[in-house]
Amino acid sequence: MNDELILQHGLTLNEFQIIKDYLKRDLTMEELGIFSAMWNEHCCYKTSKKWLKKLPTNNDVVIQGPGENAGIIDLEDNDGVAFKIESHNHPSYIEPFNGSATGVGGILRDIFTMGARPIATLDSIRFGEINTDKTKYLLNGVVHGIGHYGNCIGIPNIGGESEFDSTYDFNNLVNAMAIGHVKKDAIFYSKPKTIGGLIVYIGSKTGKDGIHGASMASDVFSENDEDDKRPSVQVGDPFMEKLLMEGCLELMSSGLIESMQDMGAAGITSSSVEMASKGNVGVLIDLDKIPLRQPLSPYEILLSESQERMLAVIEKDNDTKVREILKKWQIDYEVIGEITDSKNVVFTSKNKQVVNLPVNIIVDDAPEYDREFYLPRKRNKKDFDCTHLNLEKMINNLFDNLNYLDKSWIYNQYDSTVMGDTVKEPGQSTGIIKLHDSQKVIGATTDCNPLYIRINPELGMIYTVVEAYRNLISSNIKPIAITNNLNFASPLDPNIMGEIVLSINGLKKSASKLNTPIVSGNVSLYNQTNDLPINPTPVIGMVGSNLNINKIISNKFQNDGDIIVSIGESLGYLNSPYFLKDQKITREINSFNELEDIDLENEILTANSIMYLADNKLIQSCNDVFRGGIFMSLIKMIEKDYGFTVELPNKFDLFCEYRAGYIITVKEDELSKVCNYLSKNNVSHSNIGLVSNETIKINSKVFDYFEIKGKYLDNFEKIIN
């Protein structure tokens, strides 16, 4: 094998030499393909593994942490919740519709592979500046793909986030999250147990789509790569996924399956290798028995990432019963091999071995790098002149910015109420779904603050976790656990590697303090094109619950005349990066001041106080305060024809970011009780106004209520069109 061929497969020459020295022989082309698939960043996390090991992953409610297809937490009474987030960034840039659609399909398979029925999805999507045809094409394709797949399979999308920034001009991000409900005594794992057990193929036939998809997702791009990379993007079929899901769930509930693994990134290669590794066994698979859509070579079969496929292990006596159930669901099924005690992965074709590799070299001996990283430089304190900003100017700057506008154009393309258990739909601080025939609800949110993380990766990550935490608290949902999707540019740049290391450290600190362990996740590196890196974008998916649906509080105004109380303290405009950027004071990353330290004890104290008030029916509505400040929180709380009248001594505090920031509304006759409780618990708060019908009045200045409301609701669609 020549050096060019090795490098084309995403391996370094040193990595190839390590493999060759271990095996003491040359590799077959198929074996080279296996290492290409399994030793890339997307599958073995060779750059991030060292740092991910430091994350907190367990507490008394975690049933399953990282290492399985999804994490699972305990919701009492035999109820468990499985969830995970994953990226489909590179495929969604090349083929936005298919890339985003198969991102949804893949994460759903991770959920039902655990024996959990998917009950909700969320997403986190980011695009470049909207003034280019390319961004509009990507936006329309991604939103259409997410909506198409989720709507066809019939699982509600209950929330998410979107952001537009020039850093994503050539690297849009698509992170898909899914949540499922499972009975704790019916959780399913991928570890096989029976030597001689049959390895069976379940699902769609294998084709050429997605070959080298995993290694493609572990490489940087140039604009000229798009046509060459397009065949690496998978094509999904949500109707087949629905049949596959129902068939697999029936097989698992009937006890006919011993273990199961999704054929995701790297297809049958990764699923069989991971299964063998977890069970400390070997596998023997005949590639000639794989159901095919078209003639494929053994190499192509091994690396295909065709969608809607599962690998399972069954006992020989169950073959006929499994076949009958899958025939009912019109699903392809074939016995393709067996579990062995060899601890080797063996693939044959035409009665010849094309692969014979020890499992440990593929998995246990995969590279783990300790890459060089730089720490950010100390920032000098800067002053900024904001005296030219008046209320009208600050409001207009927000309403001319896609990031502050109502995103219903996006989420209206998703079915958010199918299955009939959605409590809160997209567009609010938290998406909430009810466990069917139960009083229990699950809340979930996705969040990231790339600008904060770019300024200070460790502190910025803590702010991101805290924002997700506040989102859940705003609905009286107790935060429980985290799934993460760490999106970064090339780790070969020590500055980017520094962002990765420090962000993970910030995640560790905040998750430990808030008692929200990380139970699943994904790493997506090399998100840069033409040497232009994205901002660091480690997305947090946080999940929580309330065991009593009647204790959930609204994020919208409820009554005319309710008192508006702000909680927390303004960071001030000098220390509010989004204020400075979005009010066009500065965009230069080097000119922002250092982030203010965040007091996690104060965040917990404030959150506990809000949940106590909510449990005791003393809060009418609540919303968190962060980007866009109190003003945007109030705008998002507008419901029916309710508006607000507020007075703040410092006009900038209306738009700045906040520490432990929330807005609550309280009935007038309960205000003293609420304020006394907050004072007793040392929670900073201030009575700033009241809910008023068809009114927006700020510091005695009256604004046109319907004009302001119309700009917030309508400007997104106007701008993108």
Side-chain angles (χ1 to χ4, degrees):
M1 289 184 179
N2 59 49
D3 291 355
E4 183 180 354
L5 182 64
I6 294 164
L7 294 173
Q8 284 176 353
H9 278 74
L11 295 171
T12 67
L13 298 181
N14 184 58
E15 287 170 348
F16 180 77
Q17 192 60 49
I18 290 171
I19 296 166
K20 197 171 177 182
D21 289 346
Y22 183 99
L23 296 176
K24 296 181 172 56
R25 62 173 173 82
D26 289 328
L27 278 71
T28 67
M29 191 64 187
E30 291 81 6
E31 289 172 338
L32 179 64
I34 283 181
F35 282 105
S36 170
M38 297 303 296
W39 276 26
N40 61 60
E41 296 281 4
H42 194 74
C43 289
C44 79
Y45 299 154
K46 56 189 176 185
T47 289
S48 55
K49 193 187 306 181
K50 170 181 175 176
W51 305 102
L52 294 173
K53 290 175 182 176
K54 300 176 184 294
L55 292 173
T57 59
N58 205 4
N59 66 6
D60 56 355
V61 298
V62 173
I63 297 172
Q64 175 64 53
E68 271 290 345
N69 289 291
I72 302 179
I73 55 175
D74 190 341
L75 272 199
E76 301 181 11
D77 308 316
N78 201 32
D79 288 318
V81 175
F83 61 98
K84 189 181 184 183
I85 190 170
E86 280 202 343
S87 61
H88 236 219
N89 301 333
H90 287 50
S92 298
Y93 180 70
I94 297 169
E95 279 282 356
F97 176 83
N98 285 316
S100 61
T102 51
V104 175
I107 198 66
L108 289 174
R109 288 194 297 279
D110 282 339
I111 299 302
F112 70 75
T113 302
M114 301 296 296
R117 176 170 291 279
I119 57 174
T121 62
L122 299 92
D123 54 78
S124 174
I125 54 179
R126 283 178 166 78
F127 304 93
E129 298 283 3
I130 199 62
N131 54 5
T132 68
D133 289 339
K134 178 72 172 183
T135 295
K136 291 176 182 177
Y137 162 72
L138 292 170
L139 171 64
N140 279 280
V142 165
V143 172
H144 186 197
I146 292 172
H148 170 76
Y149 207 98
N151 296 352
C152 288
I153 199 170
I155 295 169
N157 183 306
I158 62 170
E161 60 163 355
S162 62
E163 182 182 15
F164 296 81
D165 188 274
S166 60
T167 187
Y168 307 105
D169 278 346
F170 300 102
N171 268 99
N172 59 311
L173 302 183
V174 176
N175 295 176
M177 178 176 170
I179 302 171
H181 175 219
V182 62
K183 292 298 183 181
K184 289 186 289 186
D185 56 7
I187 295 171
F188 220 77
Y189 298 98
S190 56
K191 177 181 177 181
K193 302 166 189 169
T194 305
I195 301 299
L198 300 181
I199 300 173
V200 299
Y201 177 111
I202 299 171
S204 295
K205 290 181 170 65
T206 295
K208 288 190 176 184
D209 49 316
I211 292 175
H212 284 299
S215 51
M216 180 267 290
S218 302
D219 197 7
V220 294
F221 280 179
S222 74
E223 282 188 275
N224 299 325
D225 286 340
E226 288 185 48
D227 288 338
D228 292 339
K229 301 284 190 183
R230 191 160 281 114
S232 298
V233 179
Q234 310 92 330
V235 178
D237 180 350
F239 299 107
M240 173 53 71
E241 177 105 336
K242 174 66 173 174
L243 295 173
L244 182 65
M245 178 177 74
E246 298 298 344
C248 288
L249 289 174
E250 182 175 341
L251 287 175
M252 287 186 275
S253 65
S254 65
L256 295 173
I257 297 281
E258 181 176 288
S259 66
M260 184 176 284
Q261 181 74 39
D262 165 36
M263 287 194 222
I268 195 168
T269 291
S270 65
S271 55
S272 58
V273 168
E274 288 170 14
M275 207 176 253
S277 176
K278 289 171 184 174
N280 196 28
V281 295
V283 299
L284 172 62
I285 293 176
D286 184 352
L287 296 177
D288 297 336
K289 293 184 178 180
I290 303 290
L292 302 178
R293 291 204 306 264
Q294 63 203 104
L296 297 178
S297 68
Y299 177 90
E300 290 171 321
I301 295 171
L302 285 167
L303 297 184
S304 169
E305 293 184 11
S306 293
Q307 296 291 284
E308 294 86 41
R309 302 180 301 159
M310 308 292 275
L311 199 67
V313 176
I314 67 172
E315 294 184 5
K316 291 180 180 179
D317 293 345
N318 291 333
D319 179 33
T320 302
K321 293 177 183 177
V322 170
R323 191 179 297 274
E324 288 173 353
I325 288 174
L326 293 175
K327 183 178 180 181
K328 178 183 71 174
W329 290 104
Q330 303 172 51
I331 298 170
D332 278 321
Y333 167 82
E334 194 65 53
V335 176
I336 62 171
E338 64 178 280
I339 298 295
T340 70
D341 60 2
S342 69
K343 299 184 182 179
N344 276 24
V345 177
V346 180
F347 293 99
T348 64
S349 179
K350 295 182 172 48
N351 297 317
K352 293 182 180 179
Q353 287 187 6
V354 294
V355 172
N356 188 345
L357 294 170
V359 175
N360 59 357
I361 187 176
I362 307 173
V363 180
D364 300 335
D365 296 335
E368 181 177 324
Y369 292 121
D370 186 4
R371 299 197 190 277
E372 179 185 19
F373 64 90
Y374 296 160
L375 299 177
R377 293 175 182 171
K378 196 75 175 173
R379 291 174 175 269
N380 296 320
K381 188 75 172 178
K382 290 185 175 64
D383 199 0
F384 297 98
D385 181 12
C386 296
T387 55
H388 64 288
L389 291 176
N390 57 31
L391 286 173
E392 291 90 339
K393 183 69 174 173
M394 288 188 280
I395 291 171
N396 287 334
N397 281 338
L398 296 186
F399 287 156
D400 288 339
N401 186 330
L402 283 177
N403 295 315
Y404 289 99
L405 302 175
D406 177 80
K407 305 295 198 312
S408 56
W409 179 89
I410 293 177
Y411 58 74
N412 281 349
Q413 298 184 54
Y414 310 151
D415 192 334
S416 59
T417 59
V418 64
M419 298 174 72
D421 287 320
T422 303
V423 178
K424 280 192 183 180
E425 301 175 35
Q428 302 183 59
S429 69
T430 309
I432 301 179
I433 200 91
K434 183 170 74 74
L435 291 189
H436 200 63
D437 295 329
S438 165
Q439 291 297 298
K440 299 176 184 176
V441 295
I442 301 163
T445 182
T446 57
D447 286 288
C448 189
N449 293 299
L451 177 61
Y452 271 57
I453 295 164
R454 182 77 171 81
I455 293 169
N456 183 319
E458 185 170 308
L459 263 177
M461 192 67 194
I462 294 174
Y463 272 97
T464 289
V465 174
V466 164
E467 184 186 357
Y469 185 81
R470 292 180 197 165
N471 282 342
L472 295 181
I473 295 297
S474 296
S475 295
N476 200 23
I477 295 288
K478 179 185 178 183
I480 297 177
I482 289 171
T483 181
N484 61 34
N485 204 136
L486 307 181
N487 306 279
F488 292 92
S490 172
L492 303 181
D493 180 339
N495 293 298
I496 305 299
M497 193 64 216
E499 293 175 347
I500 296 170
V501 171
L502 293 173
S503 294
I504 292 174
N505 202 43
L507 178 56
K508 171 190 171 184
K509 286 182 177 180
S510 49
S512 298
K513 189 68 176 178
L514 299 174
N515 194 25
T516 51
I518 292 84
V519 299
S520 59
N522 173 243
V523 176
S524 174
L525 306 183
Y526 298 100
N527 289 290
Q528 64 184 60
T529 300
N530 300 337
D531 296 324
L532 297 173
I534 63 162
N535 272 343
T537 315
V539 173
I540 289 301
M542 189 176 284
V543 172
S545 74
N546 194 314
L547 302 184
N548 185 349
I549 190 174
N550 298 312
K551 291 187 175 181
I552 297 303
I553 51 176
S554 176
N555 304 130
K556 302 287 188 178
F557 293 140
Q558 295 298 297
N559 310 294
D560 189 23
D562 281 351
I563 307 300
I564 299 173
V565 177
S566 70
I567 292 178
E569 297 176 346
S570 170
L571 294 176
Y573 66 81
L574 292 179
N575 302 305
S576 294
Y578 283 120
F579 174 88
L580 293 171
K581 178 184 177 184
D582 298 327
Q583 294 300 336
K584 304 174 183 177
I585 305 302
T586 183
R587 291 182 65 93
E588 294 298 322
I589 196 65
N590 293 327
S591 68
F592 291 97
N593 286 322
E594 186 56 82
L595 297 184
E596 289 284 286
D597 281 335
I598 187 165
D599 184 347
L600 292 174
E601 288 286 0
N602 184 46
E603 292 285 346
I604 295 169
L605 173 68
T606 304
N608 288 341
S609 297
I610 289 174
M611 287 193 290
Y612 172 85
L613 293 172
D615 283 345
N616 287 277
K617 306 294 184 183
L618 293 171
I619 294 178
Q620 297 302 303
S621 63
C622 180
N623 204 7
D624 64 299
V625 178
F626 192 63
R627 186 171 181 175
I630 286 175
F631 176 78
M632 283 312 305
S633 292
L634 292 170
I635 290 294
K636 291 175 183 176
M637 295 177 81
I638 289 174
E639 178 81 339
K640 301 175 184 174
D641 286 333
Y642 294 137
F644 53 88
T645 298
V646 294
E647 290 277 343
L648 275 86
N650 184 335
K651 65 182 178 183
F652 297 124
D653 287 345
L654 193 67
F655 301 92
C656 288
E657 290 104 82
Y658 267 63
R659 297 184 187 88
Y662 299 87
I663 293 292
I664 61 173
T665 62
V666 181
K667 287 185 177 179
E668 186 175 9
D669 60 359
E670 293 173 337
L671 179 63
S672 61
K673 188 185 296 184
V674 169
C675 290
N676 287 339
Y677 178 82
L678 293 173
S679 297
K680 178 182 174 184
N681 286 277
N682 297 314
V683 174
S684 178
H685 64 282
S686 180
N687 177 352
I688 62 170
L690 53 85
V691 178
S692 48
N693 200 48
E694 294 185 3
T695 304
I696 292 180
K697 186 177 179 182
I698 302 171
N699 292 359
S700 301
K701 183 171 182 58
V702 177
F703 292 84
D704 186 315
Y705 173 80
F706 293 101
E707 181 184 1
I708 293 285
K709 185 178 177 181
K711 284 181 178 179
Y712 172 65
L713 294 176
D714 301 333
N715 275 12
F716 185 91
E717 191 164 357
K718 287 180 181 177
I719 292 172
I720 65 170
N721 289 328

